[in-house]
């Protein structure tokens, strides 16, 4: 069965330093090994893909990537350079790789232009955004231009976690809860809900948002979101679609990245529908062969398995 992974990270020597903050939430030895594998684009990576039966990796720059750059001009030029490198890598291995662009969101107009260039000239399939950009989230009015372009080009934006601006008070004294194990998920789910209540999907009904990690917990809470929205909304916000879950069922697509467990997959399929669940591994932070084995053996409908493995990605990314 053709298998396409949507959350497959890499980094370049020039951009590796942006990950210094991310390294602080990992075991040093494990981080060193992941860093080594992030820097390899076509060697060990292709061997691991072959061994795992992963036909295509949709590559993305590792978190936080360009968004950590403080200088606007440097962010713009480095995003263009890494997207060019990504396109060249894909061109050399067109049957094995596709890519999500990195965007210099520090400069919204430049980010929108880079998205357009990446899709129309480089053949990339959308963009991957790593959480906030110096505290600015994707519902910010200044970033509507990026959504306008994404909708116009009919490409998804993949919202991936990164270290937050600060940690919630409830996590004080518990650094073990800060990072991918816990806080990145709640941060990213919160960011996605900012898009719903911030009107992004009312302004751009055709926008497509991808979330990794089995939807960062959101598929599990649709009913409660709707119920409590009806009871507690007194902020003057109107949702054109009426209920929060309507946006999560319409605009949201999720990947299985970093989650190899059947109950959350079955929940995601039931909550969002089988056309909105796609495969991903979160390489090199998870192993490709573990993820593909999970995909092949999970107790789900065979038609749904094919949708998750490849047909949803082929449709959404025009692969
Ligand atoms: Zn990831």
């Amino acid at each position: 069965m053709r298998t396409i992974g949507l959350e497959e990270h890499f980094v370049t020597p020039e951009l590796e330093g942006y990950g210094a903050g991310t390294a602080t939430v990992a075991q040093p030895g494990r981080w060193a090994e992941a860093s080594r594998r992030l820097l390899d684009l076509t060697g060990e990576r292709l061997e691991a893909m072959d061994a795992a039966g992963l036909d295509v990796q949709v590559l993305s720059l590792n978190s936080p990537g360009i968004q950590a750059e403080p200088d606007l001009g440097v962010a713009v030029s480095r995003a263009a350079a890494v997207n060019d490198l990504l396109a060249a890598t894909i061109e050399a291995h067109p049957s094995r790789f596709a890519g999500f662009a990195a965007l210099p969101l520090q400069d919204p107009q430049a980010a929108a232009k880079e998205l357009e260039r990446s899709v129309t000239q480089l053949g990339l399939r959308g963009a991957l955004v790593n959480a906030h950009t110096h505290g600015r989230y994707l519902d910010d009015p200044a970033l509507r231009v990026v959504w306008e372009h994404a909708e116009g080009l009919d490409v998804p934006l993949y919202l991936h976690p990164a270290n937050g601006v600060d940690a919630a008070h409830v996590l004080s004294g518990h650094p073990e809860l800060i990072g991918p194990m816990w806080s990145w998920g709640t941060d990213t789910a919160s960011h996605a809900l900012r898009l719903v209540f911030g009107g992004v999907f009312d302004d751009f009904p055709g926008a497509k948002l991808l979330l990794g990690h089995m939807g960062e917990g959101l598929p599990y809470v649709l009913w409660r979101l709707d119920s409590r929205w009806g009871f507690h909304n007194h902020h003057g916000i109107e949702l054109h679609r009426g209920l929060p879950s309507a946006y999560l069922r319409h605009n949201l697509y999720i990947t299985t990245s970093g989650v190899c467990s059947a109950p959350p997959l079955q929940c995601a399929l039931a909550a969002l529908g089988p056309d909105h669940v796609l495969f991903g591994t979160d390489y090199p932070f998870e192993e490709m062969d573990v993820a593909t084995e999970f995909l092949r053996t999970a107790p789900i409908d065979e038609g749904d398995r094919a949708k998750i493995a490849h047909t949803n990605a082929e449709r959404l990314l025009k692969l």
Side-chain angles (χ1 to χ4, degrees):
M1 182 170 56
R2 189 181 191 213
T3 305
I4 301 167
L6 273 78
E7 195 182 312
E8 321 296 325
H9 304 304
F10 75 97
V11 79
T12 66
E14 187 184 32
L15 305 181
E16 198 179 10
Y18 292 139
T22 313
T24 64
V25 298
Q27 289 184 37
R30 299 292 295 270
W31 181 257
E33 170 64 5
S35 295
R36 187 186 66 72
R37 297 202 287 180
L38 283 167
L39 288 163
D40 163 67
L41 268 169
T42 58
E44 186 183 338
R45 181 183 300 262
L46 279 168
E47 289 170 20
M49 287 168 65
D50 290 341
L54 182 57
D55 297 284
V56 180
Q57 275 199 338
V58 185
L59 296 166
S60 54
L61 184 61
N62 194 47
S63 177
I66 301 292
Q67 289 165 257
E69 171 58 48
D71 183 282
L72 259 66
V74 173
V76 171
S77 63
R78 285 190 161 181
V82 78
N83 291 332
D84 287 345
L85 170 82
L86 184 51
T89 304
I90 295 162
E91 196 179 342
H93 301 272
S95 66
R96 306 309 302 277
F97 295 123
F100 288 126
L103 300 180
L105 292 162
Q106 294 88 333
D107 181 339
Q109 296 292 334
K113 275 188 196 158
E114 182 60 17
L115 176 61
E116 182 162 38
R117 185 186 79 93
S118 296
V119 173
T120 61
Q121 295 179 36
L122 302 182
L124 302 184
R125 308 295 167 156
L128 183 136
V129 174
N130 289 300
H132 65 94
T133 307
H134 302 298
R136 184 152 64 190
Y137 296 90
L138 285 173
D139 61 311
D140 192 293
L143 290 171
R144 285 297 200 272
V145 65
V146 175
W147 286 108
E148 182 189 339
H149 279 68
E151 186 189 50
L153 294 160
D154 192 26
V155 293
L157 295 185
Y158 197 129
L159 179 59
H160 184 278
N163 282 347
V165 177
D166 50 25
H169 186 69
V170 69
L171 304 181
S172 60
H174 285 272
E176 72 279 8
L177 297 177
I178 297 171
M181 190 188 84
W182 181 249
S183 72
W184 279 21
T186 54
D187 278 7
T188 309
S190 300
H191 194 161
L193 292 176
R194 289 180 68 107
L195 305 179
V196 171
F197 294 103
V200 168
F201 302 126
D202 284 331
D203 290 351
F204 306 104
K208 290 166 179 162
L209 174 73
L210 270 162
L211 290 179
H213 316 117
M214 213 63 92
E216 311 287 8
L218 288 171
Y220 199 75
V221 297
L222 297 188
W223 191 91
R224 183 156 175 81
L225 287 173
D226 290 349
S227 164
R228 293 304 90 196
W229 174 245
F231 190 92
H232 295 284
N233 171 31
H234 61 102
H235 306 287
I237 297 171
E238 282 195 29
L239 298 178
H240 293 185
R241 289 188 187 272
L243 293 171
S245 70
Y247 298 87
L248 298 177
R249 289 197 175 94
H250 180 78
N251 299 94
L252 176 63
Y253 295 78
I254 69 154
T255 79
T256 62
S257 70
V259 179
C260 296
S261 172
L265 174 61
Q266 289 163 328
C267 172
L269 286 166
L272 304 180
D275 293 340
H276 285 245
V277 182
L278 298 86
F279 181 69
T281 74
D282 212 358
Y283 181 82
F285 303 102
E286 301 286 351
E287 300 300 330
M288 290 183 221
D289 55 355
V290 173
T292 54
E293 175 71 10
F294 166 63
L295 173 66
R296 273 170 207 131
T297 57
I300 57 173
D301 175 82
E302 289 308 318
D304 292 352
R305 197 186 318 279
K307 287 181 175 186
I308 297 166
H310 65 101
T311 52
N312 287 343
E314 286 158 356
R315 188 184 70 253
L316 188 66
L317 307 183
K318 305 179 188 79
L319 289 168

